[in-house]
Amino acid sequence: MDFIKVSSLEDGLTCGDLHKLKSGLSQTDHNTRKQIYGPNEIDVPVKSYGMLLIDEILNPFYIFQVFSIILWLCDGYYYYAGCILLISLVSIGISLYETRKQSVTLRNMVKVSVSLKVRRATGGESVPEMKTPLPDSPQAASTLYSSEEHRRHTLFCGTQVIQAKTYLEAEVIAVVTRTGFCTIKGNLISSILHPKPIKFKFYEDSIKFVLVLAVFAIIGNIYSIVILIKHKVLVSLIVIRALDLITIIVPPALPAAMTVGTIYAQNRLNKQGIFCISPPRINVCGKIKMVCFDKTGTLTEEGLDVWGVVPLDETSFLPITHEPRCLPDGPLLYSLASCHSVCLLKGQAIGDLMDLKMLDSTGWILEDGDSSEQTKELFGTKVLAVLKPPSLEEQPHGPKHRIPIGVQRRFPFSSSLQRMSVIAKLPKDSPSYLYMKGAPEMVASLCRSETVPPDFSAMLRQYTQDGYRVLGFAYKLLNFIKTFEEAQMVSRESSECDLTFLGFLIMRNVLKPETAPVIYGLRNADIRPVMVTGDNMLTAMNVARSCHMVEPSEKVFFVNVSPPSHHKTATLKFIPAEPQPGEEIREGLYQQGGSFLDRGPYHFAMNGKSFAILCDYFPDMLPKILINATIFARMSPEQKTQLVQNFQELNYCVAMCGDGANDCGALKAADVGISLSDAEASVASPFTSKINNIECVPAVIREGRCSLETSFEMFKYMALYSFTQFISVLILYSINSNLGDPQFLLIDLVITTSMAVLMGKTGPANELGIKRPLATLISITVLGSLVIQTLLILATQLMAFFITHSQDWYVPINGSTGVPLNLPNYDNTAVFCLSTYQYLILAVVLSKGYPFRKPLYTNVLFLLLLIVLLAMLLWITLFPLGFMVSLLQLKVIDDINFKLVLIGMVAVNFIAAYLMETLLDHGYLNCLRHLRKKRESKKLYKRLQSDLRAQSTWPPVNVVLHRSPRDSWPIR
């Protein structure tokens, strides 16, 4: 059965429809909607301890535990069963407490009751954001409402209203468009309650491997049944012994042991100020192959410093003015002072950091428009805000500014429109003007062509290539607007056209000092850094070169894609970003005889417009371009999300690092999302960093690699621990004996559990290397290790068994004594003593350091435990005290030479196990791959890279490619 999410209330509604709904719903519509959507609540269920207990014990892990405990009690292992029962009860109790505590915390976080009147509000972002009324003009009335497109007019669930005002009516009515779990907050809570499943090869393979262990259990059962029948053991006891093998070969503690590395990694990240709400994602971090970075606030500093203003004289640029206060009265100064979304809260100016810097550079003072009746008299109408020039004493030498500006209306900034504008007027009967700021290309496109300087592009390139953030300014006379009410009626579309270009505001966006070393380190580790920004292309290029994302010796090609027109098909062209000095850009410049002259590293750069057309008209070329695409400029939030998904389709494991609300979609879509913000972006990503720079990225990757490697080691350790005990039991079954209850306790709790808990405590390596951990258990390295170590364990235990039989003092078991398990006996003592060392050997040889973890000796607690356990086992083997012999049900062996032989076998076992693991780590078994036919990589991006290296004509520089079937490139 397929379930489809219920559509939102606003689906299909226009802005005009929403304005008509301000009178409310009829009772019939109310009842219908309540039946479909349910009550307006975000219900977080908090189960009772009884219900939680039932859910917990129905977990397959605990069902298996209960089965095992009952079986051990039937077999007389009372102490062991009692200890496991106690541990299980404590574990269940802690689990129930934590689960209910998290549910209560989540419910308290959701639970809120507020009584308010919504007028015009700010809220919802890490910095307060101004919300304005939904447009009500005739043109806007037919526009479909979208919560994303109209987010500046939308109050999202969870928004804290910190200030509200109204100007036209007694109150402003907010129309509810979404309720309950359909809201942004409800969707967040739903994602916490029902997280997206993680598809990771390691987790899938671990389940398969448990099934393989079950097969070994069946084989062992068959062997044990045959042996026990041969010894004429009772049928009931045969059944118990056979089932006992299942609890040995499939360890119940396996799932818990595999999370040890993740828990330690999460704790270490917390200490570094990096918080994780989805621990399983930590292992995924170990396979990251690409990291997409936002630019502003992530790679560069959040704040922008005003560098200067480039004004115009007619249609010619004047020299840059570094002090905007020195500008004369006029449209450019008025634009700088008024075209922003800064507002006052308790007398303090709040708003976007860039807007605050721009306003501060003018020295003008912001005041509320409704502060007094004098304001209305001054401007002849109501105004939203007043901008006053600084006092005459604070103004620089030269012409003085005395005239204030009144803001009548704001058209808020939109990332899709790439601009914002305000309608403002001077005092008395002065006409109104529209002042605009935004992306220079967008502003220029809305200006009359004769007002744009001929060298517009050259001047823009000059500043953006040097890494400056450039904003364009323009204005327009609106002589038909006199009053505040008339300003509210005009549409944005009719106002923002046929403007007069005013000039540039140049802002300096400094690269964070940590950025370049981190990017350099990622590239050295063969992790692709990619920049995805809403900023200008040339500014993004400069930042990419400054932080080593693009090295000076590496070429960059712009991917220029044009949409189809009436008589032309869509076209694609690769244009060199920086032609060599003295060279002309002409068709085929970088090609000779159909081959690419310089096959050195290269990068592609494109803007959001080209990316959209490329996806629509050249889908076959998209994967080939993405393989080397590094810079994406003027990208909308939706395009950022789409880009991450496109990279994932190429089988990249993608991380996304950003700090703003427009990164939320990409952070959620990425395999690993890392937010540098406490606001919206943080709830969309599994990782949130208090470190306000990208140093958190290599930290997360290193911890991910360490955790993934630890998970592999723990899996192998638990599997080999099971095989070791499995072999011991099968050997002792052959003489109608077994390990005793205290012996199981010593092995399982004192040795194995303590080893498993501490061996995963080793921290990550200090540096990122090129090599990444394995992600699959079905590999030569893992399977080879398991097979070789199992054979070593088997050979050593059989050798001890047969050497014991060859001793003069050896006395075989007398099966007629009726003693349970025929304990104590020489075979049991020899096999038990030898096998206990094998658990230590496995813990040491599997605790690998380089390249993903620190050396073993840095894990002090593990090292101390190892020394203590080794000393204890040597004591038990060589000079056991009476209580040790009695407690562990050992047979006293006085032959010191035999004991030394056992210790010698342990030493040989250790050396052989260590050598085998070292050889496996260095790839000496990889020669087995040559025995099979060479296969292509499963990763699509690797196959594409191989194909592109074989194509001498790629990329076809300065060649215009048309959308045509014959122009498509094969992708295998």
Side-chain angles (χ1 to χ4, degrees):
M1 182 183 294
D2 294 329
F3 291 90
I4 300 174
K5 190 173 182 179
V6 177
S7 60
S8 301
L9 295 171
E10 82 271 15
D11 281 5
L13 294 180
T14 64
C15 294
D17 294 332
L18 286 176
H19 278 284
K20 293 175 184 177
L21 289 173
K22 63 183 180 181
S23 59
L25 299 174
S26 66
Q27 187 62 42
T28 303
D29 289 340
H30 167 79
N31 294 337
T32 302
R33 292 191 177 190
K34 188 173 181 180
Q35 187 175 5
I36 296 173
Y37 295 97
N40 180 21
E41 63 181 12
I42 302 173
D43 182 31
V44 178
V46 178
K47 295 182 179 179
S48 65
Y49 281 111
M51 291 300 298
L52 288 173
L53 179 62
I54 292 173
D55 291 342
E56 192 77 15
I57 61 177
L58 290 178
N59 184 305
F61 167 73
Y62 284 114
I63 291 175
F64 188 57
Q65 283 278 43
V66 171
F67 163 76
S68 301
I69 290 170
I70 294 172
L71 184 65
W72 295 328
L73 289 172
C74 294
D75 203 16
Y77 292 112
Y78 303 115
Y79 296 117
Y80 184 72
C83 289
I84 296 298
L85 177 62
L86 180 62
I87 292 172
S88 298
L89 291 175
V90 171
S91 174
I92 290 174
I94 294 173
S95 177
L96 295 184
Y97 173 76
E98 290 294 332
T99 302
R100 198 169 193 278
K101 180 183 175 184
Q102 290 174 6
S103 298
V104 171
T105 302
L106 187 59
R107 184 183 62 182
N108 292 339
M109 183 180 74
V110 173
K111 187 177 180 180
V112 62
S113 178
V114 179
S115 177
L116 54 84
K117 288 185 177 180
V118 178
R119 301 182 187 276
R120 191 186 79 229
T122 61
E125 291 279 355
S126 53
V127 292
E129 177 182 297
M130 180 173 289
K131 303 287 185 177
T132 57
L134 189 69
D136 195 20
S137 63
Q139 295 90 338
S142 59
T143 304
L144 282 175
Y145 170 77
S146 166
S147 59
E148 281 302 316
E149 290 293 324
H150 298 92
R151 65 181 297 118
R152 290 292 181 132
H153 314 297
T154 304
L155 288 174
F156 295 99
C157 182
T159 297
Q160 181 182 1
V161 180
I162 57 177
Q163 182 171 285
K165 291 183 181 180
T166 183
Y167 296 91
L168 290 177
E169 301 176 12
E171 61 182 9
V172 174
I173 298 172
V175 177
V176 176
T177 58
R178 298 187 184 186
T179 60
F181 283 104
C182 293
T183 63
I184 295 292
K185 183 176 181 180
N187 188 44
L188 167 64
I189 300 302
S190 179
S191 66
I192 294 174
L193 292 173
H194 312 286
K196 180 182 176 182
I198 298 174
K199 292 184 179 179
F200 197 45
K201 189 70 174 172
F202 173 70
Y203 299 136
E204 296 172 0
D205 287 350
S206 61
I207 296 172
K208 295 176 184 176
F209 201 82
V210 169
L211 297 177
V212 173
L213 293 177
V215 172
F216 278 97
I218 293 171
I219 296 172
N221 277 334
I222 295 171
Y223 169 80
S224 62
I225 289 170
V226 172
I227 291 294
L228 293 174
I229 289 175
K230 183 180 177 182
H231 286 288
K232 299 179 181 180
V233 177
L234 295 174
V235 174
S236 59
L237 195 56
I238 291 176
V239 172
I240 291 174
R241 296 284 176 82
L243 293 175
D244 196 24
L245 281 176
I246 298 176
T247 66
I248 292 173
I249 196 66
V250 183
L254 180 61
M258 289 171 58
T259 63
V260 167
T262 303
I263 293 170
Y264 281 125
Q266 186 177 11
N267 290 335
R268 287 192 294 264
L269 287 171
N270 287 345
K271 292 177 182 177
Q272 298 178 61
I274 304 170
F275 303 99
C276 176
I277 61 173
S278 178
R281 294 274 178 185
I282 295 177
N283 276 353
V284 181
C285 295
K287 296 301 292 181
I288 288 174
K289 183 64 177 176
M290 169 187 290
V291 185
C292 297
F293 293 99
D294 179 37
K295 184 182 77 67
T296 306
T298 304
L299 299 175
T300 60
E301 297 288 354
E302 179 65 39
L304 294 168
D305 295 322
V306 174
W307 180 245
V309 180
V310 183
L312 290 184
D313 179 15
E314 299 294 336
T315 57
S316 300
F317 284 109
L318 295 174
I320 187 171
T321 300
H322 289 288
E323 184 52 73
R325 296 176 185 228
C326 296
L327 290 172
D329 280 331
L332 182 55
L333 178 62
Y334 299 154
S335 298
L336 292 169
S338 64
C339 192
H340 51 73
S341 59
V342 177
C343 60
L344 292 176
L345 176 64
K346 297 179 181 179
Q348 292 292 322
I350 58 172
D352 183 80
L353 291 174
M354 185 178 70
D355 285 349
L356 289 169
K357 289 281 187 181
M358 183 182 75
L359 176 60
D360 184 62
S361 72
T362 65
W364 284 50
I365 302 163
L366 174 67
E367 292 183 358
D368 279 331
D370 59 348
S371 58
S372 67
E373 284 296 322
Q374 295 177 351
T375 302
K376 188 173 181 180
E377 292 177 7
L378 177 63
F379 292 98
T381 183
K382 289 190 293 186
V383 291
L384 299 176
V386 177
L387 281 306
K388 292 184 177 180
S391 62
L392 296 178
E393 294 79 16
E394 295 178 358
Q395 294 186 33
H397 295 291
K400 302 297 182 180
H401 309 300
R402 293 181 171 84
I403 305 173
I405 310 167
V407 178
Q408 297 168 288
R409 186 176 180 185
R410 293 184 178 96
F411 295 113
F413 174 78
S414 166
S415 50
S416 60
L417 298 177
Q418 298 180 344
R419 64 183 185 271
M420 80 158 290
S421 58
V422 297
I423 297 175
K425 73 184 297 294
L426 300 178
K428 302 300 181 185
D429 294 330
S430 302
S432 297
Y433 289 86
L434 180 129
Y435 299 108
M436 176 188 288
K437 81 165 188 284
E441 307 93 333
M442 176 56 71
V443 172
S445 70
L446 298 172
C447 293
R448 289 179 287 115
S449 58
E450 63 270 19
T451 69
V452 180
D455 58 343
F456 170 88
S457 298
M459 184 64 71
L460 177 61
R461 179 183 291 269
Q462 173 186 330
Y463 286 106
T464 53
Q465 279 186 334
D466 290 337
Y468 291 104
R469 176 81 177 270
V470 182
L471 294 177
F473 284 80
Y475 84 108
K476 177 183 180 179
L477 173 65
L478 301 174
N479 52 18
F480 56 89
I481 296 179
K482 298 292 185 183
T483 66
F484 179 85
E485 290 75 15
E486 289 173 344
Q488 309 312 308
M489 297 304 296
V490 70
S491 70
R492 185 169 191 169
E493 293 76 13
S494 63
S495 304
E496 294 182 337
C497 62
D498 298 326
L499 281 77
T500 299
F501 189 74
L502 289 173
F504 293 140
L505 173 66
I506 312 298
M507 305 193 81
R508 184 170 51 185
N509 195 195
V510 182
L511 199 70
K512 290 181 180 179
E514 302 85 4
T515 297
V518 169
I519 298 296
Y520 187 77
L522 291 176
R523 292 197 68 184
N524 282 343
D526 196 26
I527 297 173
R528 273 187 65 187
V530 172
M531 185 192 302
V532 191
T533 178
D535 209 341
N536 175 277
M537 172 61 78
L538 296 178
T539 303
M541 280 269 296
N542 177 273
V543 172
R545 289 202 179 278
S546 300
C547 68
H548 300 289
M549 199 173 284
V550 176
E551 294 290 357
S553 61
E554 297 173 338
K555 287 186 170 61
V556 177
F557 299 98
F558 292 133
V559 180
N560 188 10
V561 192
S562 302
S565 57
H566 295 295
H567 305 291
K568 295 181 180 179
T569 60
T571 60
L572 168 63
K573 189 175 182 181
F574 299 96
I575 304 171
E578 297 174 349
Q580 297 299 320
E583 291 183 343
E584 298 178 3
I585 301 178
R586 61 181 183 273
E587 194 150 316
L589 174 68
Y590 287 89
Q591 297 181 6
Q592 184 174 19
S595 61
F596 193 46
L597 290 179
D598 185 358
R599 294 294 289 179
Y602 62 93
H603 301 265
F604 290 135
M606 73 180 86
N607 59 28
K609 181 180 177 182
S610 290
F611 176 72
I613 303 169
L614 185 69
C615 293
D616 291 340
Y617 295 99
F618 294 91
D620 55 333
M621 296 288 283
L622 179 64
K624 298 185 66 175
I625 293 172
L626 291 182
I627 289 297
N628 288 96
T630 303
I631 303 168
F632 295 85
R634 297 292 187 217
M635 296 285 280
S636 69
E638 293 76 18
Q639 287 177 323
K640 290 183 179 183
T641 304
Q642 183 182 354
L643 178 65
V644 167
Q645 293 168 341
N646 289 145
F647 279 129
Q648 289 172 324
E649 289 171 2
L650 296 178
N651 303 129
Y652 280 106
C653 184
V654 184
M656 173 71 196
C657 182
D659 74 325
N662 53 0
D663 301 319
C664 285
L667 287 167
K668 188 173 287 187
D671 296 291
V672 176
I674 307 172
S675 168
L676 305 184
S677 169
D678 291 331
E680 279 186 47
S682 64
V683 298
S685 60
F687 294 91
T688 302
S689 174
K690 298 293 182 184
I691 307 169
N692 196 25
N693 60 64
I694 63 170
E695 284 184 331
C696 59
V697 173
V700 166
I701 296 175
R702 287 188 295 108
E703 287 291 357
R705 290 183 175 186
C706 176
S707 174
L708 185 56
E709 180 70 5
T710 301
S711 296
F712 269 93
E713 291 175 5
M714 293 306 303
F715 187 92
K716 289 198 294 182
Y717 181 72
M718 296 304 291
L720 289 170
Y721 142 69
S722 299
F723 277 122
T724 303
Q725 202 169 81
F726 183 68
I727 291 169
S728 300
V729 170
L730 287 182
I731 290 174
L732 294 176
Y733 274 7
S734 67
I735 58 167
N736 195 20
S737 185
N738 198 352
L739 294 173
D741 191 359
Q743 293 173 346
F744 273 120
L745 269 176
L746 180 69
I747 292 171
D748 292 351
L749 296 183
V750 178
I751 299 178
T752 308
T753 302
S754 57
M755 285 277 112
V757 167
L758 291 181
M759 69 185 288
K761 199 176 186 301
T762 307
N766 294 323
E767 301 293 334
L768 277 177
I770 292 179
K771 189 177 179 182
R772 293 186 300 162
L774 294 170
T776 175
L777 291 168
I778 314 300
S779 65
I780 290 176
T781 304
V782 176
L783 296 180
S785 174
L786 290 174
V787 171
I788 291 173
Q789 295 296 347
T790 302
L791 291 176
L792 275 174
I793 291 165
L794 175 63
T796 308
Q797 288 196 28
L798 284 175
M799 193 179 301
F801 181 74
F802 290 121
I803 289 177
T804 304
H805 278 233
S806 68
Q807 299 303 309
D808 296 337
W809 41 259
Y810 174 75
V811 178
I813 291 175
N814 182 2
S816 62
T817 60
V819 178
L821 302 176
N822 295 309
L823 294 177
N825 61 71
Y826 288 114
D827 301 277
N828 167 276
T829 301
V831 170
F832 166 75
C833 288
L834 181 78
S835 66
T836 52
Y837 293 98
Q838 292 179 322
Y839 302 108
L840 300 189
I841 291 171
L842 291 172
V844 173
V845 299
L846 295 178
S847 294
K848 299 168 186 175
Y850 180 84
F852 309 118
R853 308 204 309 167
K854 290 180 179 178
L856 182 147
Y857 59 79
T858 60
N859 189 345
V860 178
L861 288 178
F862 176 68
L863 199 61
L864 291 175
L865 176 67
L866 197 63
I867 294 171
V868 169
L869 290 177
L870 180 60
M872 181 187 72
L873 294 180
L874 287 172
W875 192 5
I876 293 172
T877 305
L878 297 174
F879 310 105
L881 299 179
F883 81 93
M884 295 180 180
V885 173
S886 175
L887 181 64
L888 294 174
Q889 298 176 291
L890 300 177
K891 188 78 171 178
V892 177
I893 300 176
D894 297 323
D895 189 347
I896 190 64
N897 292 326
F898 174 77
K899 295 178 180 180
L900 293 175
V901 168
L902 283 181
I903 300 300
M905 292 169 62
V906 169
V908 171
N909 189 173
F910 170 72
I911 294 170
Y914 184 81
L915 287 175
M916 288 296 103
E917 281 298 311
T918 304
L919 292 174
L920 284 168
D921 289 341
H922 286 81
Y924 284 94
L925 276 186
N926 290 346
C927 58
L928 297 177
R929 293 176 179 170
H930 300 301
L931 301 178
R932 71 182 186 194
K933 185 179 178 181
K934 187 176 181 180
R935 295 184 299 182
E936 288 186 325
S937 172
K938 294 180 181 178
K939 305 289 186 183
L940 178 55
Y941 73 86
K942 289 185 177 180
R943 301 202 302 271
L944 282 169
Q945 287 171 339
S946 177
D947 289 348
L948 292 177
R949 280 194 291 267
Q951 295 179 11
S952 59
T953 57
W954 178 263
V957 181
N958 286 316
V959 176
V960 179
L961 304 177
H962 296 271
R963 188 194 179 200
S964 171
R966 64 174 177 271
D967 289 326
S968 62
W969 298 72
I971 299 175
R972 293 186 290 129

